[in-house]
Amino acid sequence: MLFRRRGETGAPRARAAAAGGFVAMDRRLPLAEAGRALLRKAFPDHWSYLLGELALYSFVVLVLTGSYLALFFDPGMTRSVYHGPYAPLRGLPMSQAYLSTLDLSFQVRGGLLIRQIHHWAALVFVAAAAVHMLRVFLTGAFRRPREANWLVGMTLFVLAMLEGFCGYSLPDDLLSGTGMRTANTIVLSIPVVGTYLSSFLWRGPFPGHVILPRLYIVHVLFVPGVLIALLTAHLLLVVYLKHTHWAERGRTNRNAVGQPMFPQFLTKSTGLFLMLFGLLAALGALAQVNPVWNYGPYRPDQVATDAQPDWYVGFLEGALRVMPPWETVLWGHTWMWNVLIPAVVLPGVLFTALYLYPFLEKWVTADGAEHHLSDRPRNRPTRTALGVAGIVFYAVLLAAGGNDVVAYSFRVSIDTLTWIFRAGVVLGPVVAFLVTKRMCLALQDHDRLTLAEGEESGEVEQSVHGGLAEGHRPLSARRGYRLMVREIPLPLPAGEGPVPRRQRLRTALSSWYYRDRVELPVTPEQRREIEERTAAPVEPGE
């Protein structure tokens, strides 16, 4: 790989001081060579590459605020009577977990502020991770040599959801307890092993007496430890494999162009962290979130109204609500399809497909080359359409998770609304896929017209014959480069003679993926230059 550096004019004294510091450190530890290489590391300068940093810095805020909360939180489930300053709850029996949460909110100095910052940071962490993964998916940044990093990123996202659910359940209020009851039902719906697994986790019938202390250990020790280890591996892979970049002049599939880590990227990244921390602090101070004192302590014989979990697991709630009430009794056992399919099978299939997608696309394209140029989503219409269909599928399920609130607010029948959501779950992704694919092809056609006629000037010109037409000006070299330099695989050719069924399936999928495209008006010479810029890096010895 070749490297280019930009922004060489900034802070030469700072770089000299840093170099001198590394020389001094090298007398004690062999850090100079590694330090210089790290300082010269080229980082991307496009805003879309900062989404991963938002997730990283949100996690840092979570660790800081969570460490403070851990000093005062007691996850015990023994019952006691509340005599604290919040009058509406005085005299009520409650668990130590809920009692300590109330004390954190009303008696510990800064406790409510830190609680709310922690909750907002958790929401931003999962959201930033989700959008970052979506950016990687739509731009094809998961292709070779980054398949392993995609797997690490997917695991981080799943663990982030688990960590969020554990933290959401710890206060033991009526809202989180309702979610815990749902989790217990999901575990019990698993055939054969569900009963044993529930007994192991809850140590007896629900609600048990050990689940919150166990979730607390998972929340503050096990999952954060694994997250830190995987984040470290993720960042090391990013540094080692280099980043992808958008096609622009000087950027090819064989180099890594960006700003050096010090001082340009480090300064920008530090500023992003400070802005994010300030925003989370403002949200914690001004925007109320999870007011547990309004819900009261959890009681197994009560269910909170308007009981929806945080957004990242809201799709499970929606799937449970739109699933028909199907059950089967076999050999004296009840198979709860209405819980097993939406809450166990559906997420299992969804995340398995996401884990395997890089290898599926590689198999369909028969492309084993390295890729360091980011795809414009419009140039991969089928992949982009699949991503949008997945977003619509998730959004419909998330909305269905609040069908009771929607029905109450708009005075509509909840049965009618449930059937609307059932139709939306099936038809919405299909419509989204078709519309998105046609939009991508329309945008490709617009790129073709722009290359052929130039950019629209906004002025209307009149010909000598009296006709009116919009004027055009020549396309800039930078934009023309961005439009022309692209990688779009051709469908695999159909084999001659008897073809194995596996190969026929592969050819059909390849045709479905890549048969729809808009060819650009490029000359043979331009096509050769495009092929040179999109060619895979040359391995040593080749």
Side-chain angles (χ1 to χ4, degrees), residues 110-139:
L112 181 59
L113 175 64
I114 300 300
R115 264 197 65 231
Q116 299 203 142
I117 293 176
H118 188 75
H119 200 111
W120 280 115
L123 297 177
V124 173
F125 173 53
V126 184
V131 179
H132 173 64
M133 296 296 293
L134 185 62
R135 195 273 304 173
V136 172
F137 178 84
L138 294 178
T139 62

Side-chain angles (χ1 to χ4, degrees), residues 188-488:
L188 286 172
S189 72
I190 302 174
V192 182
V193 299
T195 305
Y196 302 101
L197 188 59
S198 173
S199 179
F200 170 75
L201 293 175
W202 276 266
R203 202 170 175 180
F206 182 86
H209 298 283
V210 299
I211 186 63
L212 289 186
R214 289 181 175 182
L215 285 182
Y216 182 70
I217 294 299
V218 171
H219 182 69
V220 303
L221 182 62
F222 291 163
V223 176
V226 178
L227 282 174
I228 291 173
L230 289 178
L231 278 170
T232 303
H234 189 69
L235 294 175
L236 289 175
L237 284 173
V238 169
V239 172
Y240 176 73
L241 298 173
K242 313 302 183 291
H243 63 271
T244 59
H245 49 204
W246 298 103
E248 290 189 15
R249 296 178 66 86
R251 303 184 181 189
T252 70
N253 201 38
R254 296 187 176 189
N255 61 9
V257 181
Q259 298 176 338
M261 179 178 180
F262 183 84
Q264 283 89 348
F265 184 79
L266 184 61
T267 302
K268 181 169 62 175
S269 185
T270 303
L272 178 66
F273 171 71
L274 295 176
M275 288 191 294
L276 177 65
F277 192 91
L279 175 62
L280 293 174
L283 286 173
L286 303 175
Q288 180 175 270
V289 62
N290 197 25
V292 295
W293 51 88
N294 287 340
Y295 310 129
Y298 177 65
R299 289 181 50 180
D301 60 338
Q302 295 182 357
V303 176
T305 57
D306 188 14
Q308 282 81 36
D310 285 332
W311 70 269
Y312 43 86
V313 291
F315 77 101
L316 288 178
E317 180 76 17
L320 288 168
R321 297 191 183 196
V322 300
M323 182 69 187
W326 295 342
E327 292 183 354
T328 303
V329 178
L330 292 174
W331 308 296
H333 297 278
T334 301
W335 295 63
M336 300 185 296
W337 306 113
N338 56 329
V339 179
L340 179 66
I341 292 177
V344 179
V345 177
L346 175 65
V349 171
L350 175 63
F351 284 102
T352 300
L354 289 174
Y355 270 104
L356 297 179
Y357 184 84
F359 309 99
L360 173 64
E361 185 171 297
K362 182 179 179 179
W363 179 70
V364 169
T365 60
D367 182 10
E370 290 189 12
H371 296 276
H372 303 285
L373 284 175
S374 295
D375 290 327
R376 299 179 76 197
R378 67 182 64 180
N379 292 334
R380 295 296 181 106
T382 301
R383 182 205 293 157
T384 303
L386 286 173
V388 175
I391 295 173
V392 171
F393 179 74
Y394 175 85
V396 173
L397 289 180
L398 181 62
N403 61 351
D404 55 341
V405 179
V406 176
Y408 177 80
S409 301
F410 293 94
R411 300 295 191 269
V412 297
S413 169
I414 194 169
D415 293 332
T416 302
L417 194 62
T418 300
W419 277 104
I420 291 174
F421 281 127
R422 286 173 179 172
V425 166
V426 177
L427 300 178
V430 176
V431 174
F433 177 87
L434 297 175
V435 171
T436 303
K437 190 168 184 178
R438 297 314 304 175
M439 289 179 62
C440 289
L441 293 173
L443 290 171
Q444 287 189 40
D445 188 65
H446 178 266
D447 290 344
R448 181 185 63 81
L449 291 176
T450 302
L451 286 171
E453 301 177 0
E455 295 180 298
E456 297 176 353
S457 63
E459 299 177 355
V460 177
E461 300 176 352
Q462 186 175 16
S463 68
V464 294
H465 303 290
L468 298 177
E470 188 168 5
H472 294 80
R473 57 173 176 264
L475 196 64
S476 65
R478 179 180 180 182
R479 188 178 180 193
Y481 187 95
R482 184 166 63 247
L483 296 183
M484 286 190 293
V485 178
R486 62 177 190 171
E487 300 176 271
I488 302 183

